[in-house]
């Protein structure tokens, strides 16, 4: 069985989204690692990132790692829109493809909460952690379910999508949708020109200026800059569905823990309410989640520490590819789990 | 007479480019400010930036400014490809539009050198200064004509286009050319979807994260982020010709003073050879010409000083819109001119 099929599904029935639409027969795809202990105290949730699938988080999980399956029961839920959970690409008409509804971080986390409580009967989570949009979901968990979440380690992400980050996303969206083949989402085959354009725009944002200055990509097995742009970046996005990407992009652009029910758009109030022990790890040279934004977030969470990842990999410090960054993140999570 | 027509033209005849093509009946559009003095010692060249026209440099020129036309004779040459000098949009077949040849920084500066010497008989330039690609041309002047150039003040630019900067440019190019209406340059009307996409991608790069965090655009008369993206950015690029933009983009991507004849690609050797007093002003939060790159350049020029513009405006610290940045740049130029 290939990894594309090696997961479980939580059939959530009809799910009413924050925006008012109903996702009928919503499916949450997830995979678990390790075993839930008797008192159900060893569960960790590790949500996926923008276009990531559960297997893309497996670098965090393993013997001797913070997320050790011998100790913890790790649940990796796939984000709505990622192609495995309910998404534009797998939803039947009339909510299919170009008509798929907008999904918020809260919509995702509320569904994950049902998985955790209804399927597993878990009432406390030792940790929620994730990269990028996985960080956004970590914050969202801590705000929406303060009594459930004991700790969070959001890395290279944010509690509220900054204006500049929105602009970055406008850019990649514009590049993708400039391809007429996209056709407002009603394409017969993927708009590959748009996907490749999106990839080239993303390339400059994903890694830092220093990463390129040092030509780090040559140490990753790419023979030239152009080989990196085609082999890594275009390959990355050609493997995705355009509507799925746009659905997750909307989620990202509209990220804000202040939109959690009960907070009426007040982001600071939402952050103030977090009870989880919080360790925030921004990438030192992350171009769209810069450390100064996360500093702001940390100031508004009662029990938060900020620790900058000293990396030239930019946003991709949290991708799990650079051994030094992996160690830094893993050590940080171990430390918080020990508290 | 509108500003679009208020300029002079240097008819250069047939110009052989570094790439081997011949620009026939090449035209260099320029404007001068002030009067050349008797011993021809008061001339300043101030080249244009990516898609800028001579009037876009006029914020630097005026009574009491460093570039005071009562004191100096200021020549603003329009870059090849900017729509006023020889460009894809104004060249007759067969070298028109999608067939316009590649042009280097050196090609531009060699033509400007002819203007300066042949038309005006000037042998020494008190200063060459410019923003962005204007900075690139300033470096190019100092390397190609070390005996001619007494001082340079390149701001928010570079002597060699960094790898990351090339990737940024790949992104905006991909966004523009994802529009099928572009048609490899053989469009009947401008590919506006592509131009708008390019604008949205550029928006995230042009100004810093902090600029957006502080919503500085609202102080510029834009009523919302979207109004800034449409009103400023899309308007900016809709006013340009797609092939012209791609010509100048190629110039930029291939910027490297090491490609000056005689240096055989050796950038460091080329920088070592500069005799001009050099004051380099990177923008503190410039996302594609970061200060650390310019620090590298400064280390290789014998008589160079680096002074970072303390601005949240990112690359657009050098655009002439933010009064504090204008003052900083103007003061720096004044100081160097006094040496």
């Amino acid at each position: 069985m290939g990894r594309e099929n090696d997961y479980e599904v939580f059939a959530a029935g009809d799910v009413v989204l924050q925006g008012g639409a109903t996702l009928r027969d919503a499916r949450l795809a997830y995979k678990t690692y390790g075993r839930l202990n008797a008192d159900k105290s060893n569960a960790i949730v590790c949500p996926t990132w923008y276009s990531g699938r559960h297997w893309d988080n497996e670098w965090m999980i393993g013997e001797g790692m913070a997320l050790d399956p011998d100790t913890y029961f790790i649940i990796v839920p796939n984000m709505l829109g990622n192609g495995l959970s309910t998404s534009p690409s797998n939803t039947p008409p009339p909510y299919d493809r170009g008509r798929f509804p907008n999904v918020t971080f809260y919509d995702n986390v509320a569904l994950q909460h049902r998985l955790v409580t209804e399927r597993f009967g878990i009432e406390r989570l030792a940790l929620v952690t994730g990269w990028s949009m996985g960080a956004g979901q970590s914050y969202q968990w801590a705000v929406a379910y303060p009594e459930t979440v004991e700790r969070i380690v959001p890395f290279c992400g944010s509690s509220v999508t900054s204006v500049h980050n929105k602009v970055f996303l406008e850019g990649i969206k514009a590049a993708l949708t400039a391809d007429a083949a996209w056709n407002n989402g009603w394409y017969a085959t993927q708009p590959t020109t748009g996907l490749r354009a999106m990839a080239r725009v993303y390339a400059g944002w994903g890694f830092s200026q220093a990463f390129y200055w040092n030509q780090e990509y040559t140490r990753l097995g790419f023979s030239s800059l152009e080989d990196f742009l085609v082999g890594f970046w275009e390959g990355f996005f050609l493997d995705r569905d355009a509507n799925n990407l746009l659905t997750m992009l909307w989620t990202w652009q509209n990220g804000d823990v202040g939109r959690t029910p009960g907070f009426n758009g007040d982001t600071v109030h939402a952050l103030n309410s977090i009870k989880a022990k919080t360790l925030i790890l921004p990438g030192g040279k992350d171009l769209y989640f810069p450390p100064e934004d996360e500093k702001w977030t940390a100031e508004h969470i009662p029990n938060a520490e900020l620790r900058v990842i000293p990396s030239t990999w930019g946003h991709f410090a949290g991708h799990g590819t650079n051994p030094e960054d992996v160690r830094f993140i893993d050590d940080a999570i171990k430390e918080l789990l020990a508290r």
Side-chain angles (χ1 to χ4, degrees), chain A:
Chain A
M1 181 160 64
R3 65 182 183 179
E4 291 79 2
N5 303 305
D6 182 21
Y7 59 86
E8 309 290 318
V9 171
F10 175 66
D14 294 352
V15 171
V16 179
L17 301 173
Q18 277 196 300
T22 298
L23 276 189
R24 290 179 175 77
D25 298 320
R27 292 159 51 93
L28 177 57
Y30 68 96
K31 188 168 176 181
T32 65
Y33 306 80
R35 287 192 195 164
L36 188 59
N37 60 11
D39 62 356
K40 301 188 176 184
S41 64
N42 70 334
I44 289 174
V45 169
C46 185
T48 57
W49 37 269
Y50 185 64
S51 88
R53 287 75 44 113
H54 57 270
W55 62 79
D56 293 311
N57 283 3
E58 289 180 354
W59 64 269
M60 297 180 69
I61 302 167
E63 198 184 328
M65 301 287 286
L67 275 53
D68 191 329
D70 284 344
T71 308
Y72 292 104
F73 177 63
I74 303 135
I75 307 167
V76 182
N78 286 275
M79 196 160 42
L80 293 166
N82 87 334
L84 297 178
S85 290
T86 292
S87 301
S89 64
N90 63 20
T91 296
Y95 270 120
D96 59 317
R97 305 195 287 162
R99 195 63 88 231
F100 195 78
N102 292 331
V103 172
T104 64
F105 275 109
Y106 176 78
D107 292 328
N108 270 288
V109 167
L111 195 54
Q112 293 168 20
H113 183 257
R114 285 188 53 200
L115 166 70
V116 165
T117 54
E118 295 176 22
R119 174 148 298 180
F120 297 111
I122 296 166
E123 291 182 1
R124 298 278 285 167
L125 292 171
L127 173 71
V128 184
T129 184
W131 178 47
S132 197
M133 287 184 80
Q137 290 168 80
S138 302
Y139 283 118
Q140 184 59 76
W141 259 103
V143 169
Y145 306 103
E147 305 303 335
T148 306
V149 182
E150 294 177 29
R151 298 171 192 84
I152 60 172
V153 181
F155 51 99
C156 309
S158 67
S159 61
V160 52
T161 304
S162 74
V163 179
H164 178 263
N165 198 318
K166 288 179 190 179
V167 175
F168 146 63
L169 293 169
E170 273 304 297
I172 60 168
K173 183 172 78 176
L176 171 57
T177 60
D179 182 355
W182 169 60
N183 193 29
N184 287 306
W186 305 108
Y187 45 82
T189 57
Q190 293 296 325
T192 55
T193 298
L195 289 167
R196 287 178 192 271
M198 181 179 185
R200 286 194 173 239
V201 175
Y202 221 120
W205 290 112
F207 294 91
S208 79
Q209 299 96 340
F211 174 92
Y212 285 104
W213 182 276
N214 298 330
Q215 302 185 24
E216 295 280 355
Y217 47 88
T218 60
R219 279 181 277 278
L220 297 174
F222 297 95
S223 48
S224 64
L225 176 64
E226 183 63 16
D227 189 47
F228 183 58
L229 295 180
V230 176
F232 181 84
W233 282 103
E234 294 190 6
F236 189 103
F237 283 103
L238 286 173
D239 193 34
R240 267 67 173 179
D241 173 85
N243 286 322
N244 290 355
L245 289 169
L246 292 169
T247 288
M248 292 178 285
L249 192 149
W250 192 96
T251 305
W252 184 350
Q253 271 193 324
N254 292 276
D256 183 353
V257 292
R259 295 186 192 171
T260 310
F263 290 101
N264 203 22
D266 187 337
T267 310
V268 169
H269 183 199
L271 292 172
N272 287 163
S273 75
I274 289 178
K275 294 187 174 175
K277 293 168 189 160
T278 300
L279 181 51
I280 304 172
L281 308 176
K285 289 184 174 291
D286 193 324
L287 291 174
Y288 42 98
F289 292 109
E292 55 268 33
D293 294 6
E294 286 296 84
K295 187 166 176 293
W296 179 87
T297 288
E299 286 165 2
H300 294 292
I301 298 178
N303 196 358
E305 179 191 340
L306 184 87
R307 198 178 294 179
V308 178
I309 308 171
S311 174
T312 59
W313 278 51
H315 187 62
F316 272 64
H319 182 249
T321 311
N322 188 28
E324 290 163 38
D325 298 333
V326 167
R327 201 172 315 119
F328 186 93
I329 294 164
D330 190 59
D331 285 348
I333 298 175
K334 277 179 182 152
E335 191 185 315
L336 191 71
L337 280 171
R339 279 186 211 164

